[in-house]
Amino acid sequence: MNNIVSLKWLLARLYETDIVIVDCRFQLGKPDFGREAYEASHIAGAVYLDLEKDLSAPVDEHGGRHPLPDITDLTIALSKVGISNETRVIAYDDQGGAFASRLWWLLKYLGHEQVFVLDEGFTAWQNAGFPVNAEQKVLVPSRFLATVQHNMLVEMDEVKEKLGSENMTLIDSRDGARYRGEVEPLDKKAGHIPGAINRLWSEAKGEGGRWKSADEQAARFEDLPKDRETIVYCGSGVTACPNVLALQEAGFSNVRLYAGSWSDWISYEENPIEVGEEGNASKA
């Protein structure tokens, strides 16, 4: 399954009328960073969607730090920037593909198939001498109709119910130190969901920040059975998305996102927590 497109692929199709290029740059803790970076310079013709304003709902008691956006609100935001059901969407960022993958996942979740993540990101595009500018594209609204793929998403109750199941693989996409509970810079509790294994999301990328090939992604997950349901989470449901994409590239077909992720899990006081290494974890 090809979910990644190269810089040269996009360059050759830059002005095709059915393509919408979406700048997804964002920086945690700096809410205006992405919009300001976009306004300074972006891939020619790109539009901007913001992780927290467009691709997430407001934070609540539960749902994590980046709750999934309301489907109606999201379809309106997509339609406003010219995305229809027939559009080919190319998402990019400059943060390793994490935020572009969030848009990729959301569009797939809404039933949109023709969505891709741009390999390498904005700086590589700019360094290659490909067209950039600061012009604001005149937005011609389109009409996007969602066909929600509910099987792509899993909620906290279902994750909890399936803990310890031999038919489910649970993947934590965060840095190893956070997974083990040694540090926690963002959330109120440290550790991981019991039984989860650790596969750092950024290991989907190889030399020069390029996405690994399908065979290389398969090698990352070769110890995991493909016939099992695979549930992926991270801190807030964003950096899990590159792992979902990588698992699909590797040939896994039953992959689901726990969108609320760790920040949602710990919002329920009674939920169990583990700390320590895989296979040697203890209850926190």
Side-chain angles (χ1 to χ4, degrees):
M1 183 178 290
N2 183 25
N3 297 295
I4 309 294
V5 295
S6 70
L7 301 177
K8 287 183 177 177
W9 184 98
L10 179 58
L11 180 66
R13 295 161 179 80
L14 194 58
Y15 302 107
E16 292 183 5
T17 55
D18 68 328
I19 281 184
V20 172
I21 304 163
V22 184
D23 187 319
C24 299
R25 283 178 288 175
F26 184 83
Q27 200 166 311
L28 287 173
K30 295 184 178 178
D32 298 323
F33 166 85
R35 169 63 71 176
E36 289 171 357
Y38 168 79
E39 289 176 353
S41 183
H42 50 260
I43 293 178
V47 298
Y48 184 73
L49 289 174
D50 184 270
L51 172 67
E52 293 186 341
K53 295 184 180 75
D54 302 306
L55 307 182
S56 305
V59 175
D60 208 340
E61 180 186 1
H62 302 299
R65 282 183 282 106
H66 291 112
L68 287 187
D70 174 82
I71 288 169
T72 301
D73 292 344
L74 180 57
T75 53
I76 290 170
L78 296 170
S79 298
K80 273 184 180 175
V81 297
I83 295 173
S84 73
N85 297 76
E86 288 73 44
T87 307
R88 287 181 291 168
V89 180
I90 317 300
Y92 74 88
D93 58 36
D94 224 8
Q95 288 77 32
F99 306 118
S101 294
R102 167 76 161 208
L103 177 60
W104 169 87
W105 187 89
L106 285 168
L107 279 163
K108 292 278 189 181
Y109 176 60
L110 298 185
H112 191 85
E113 281 303 314
Q114 294 294 305
V115 54
F116 308 92
V117 172
L118 181 66
D119 204 3
E120 300 180 77
F122 177 73
T123 296
W125 175 275
Q126 191 172 37
N127 289 345
F130 296 162
V132 299
N133 58 44
E135 293 170 17
Q136 301 288 311
K137 183 178 180 180
V138 176
L139 298 179
V140 180
S142 211
R143 187 161 181 254
F144 181 79
L145 297 174
T147 308
V148 179
Q149 309 297 302
H150 295 286
N151 61 320
M152 289 177 58
L153 180 67
V154 58
E155 304 284 358
M156 186 281 294
D157 289 344
E158 191 177 348
V159 175
K160 193 170 183 179
E161 188 183 306
K162 290 179 174 178
L163 290 185
S165 167
E166 292 183 359
N167 298 317
M168 185 262 295
T169 301
L170 185 61
I171 296 177
D172 185 314
S173 305
R174 298 172 300 161
D175 176 81
R178 290 180 69 195
Y179 166 85
R180 294 187 295 272
E182 296 163 3
V183 298
E184 185 42 71
L186 296 169
D187 294 309
K188 292 177 182 176
K189 295 180 183 178
H192 58 264
I193 299 174
I197 61 172
N198 189 210
R199 294 289 190 279
L200 178 60
W201 72 273
S202 57
E203 289 172 357
K205 313 299 285 295
E207 209 172 313
R210 292 186 181 90
W211 285 79
K212 291 178 177 174
S213 68
D215 287 345
E216 289 170 321
Q217 302 292 8
R220 284 180 68 212
F221 304 113
E222 64 184 355
D223 56 327
L224 307 181
K226 288 184 178 176
D227 56 349
R228 278 190 201 170
E229 175 185 36
T230 304
I231 295 174
V232 189
Y233 76 94
C234 58
S236 71
V238 176
T239 57
C241 294
N243 260 346
V244 173
L245 190 157
L247 282 156
Q248 288 196 8
E249 292 281 304
F252 287 74
S253 56
N254 188 6
V255 184
R256 304 173 74 193
L257 175 70
Y258 173 23
S261 286
W262 179 248
S263 50
D264 176 58
W265 182 262
I266 61 170
S267 71
Y268 298 88
E269 284 293 325
E270 68 278 11
N271 279 354
I273 292 171
E274 280 185 350
V275 295
E277 297 279 1
E278 277 179 29
N280 196 29
S282 58
K283 301 289 185 228

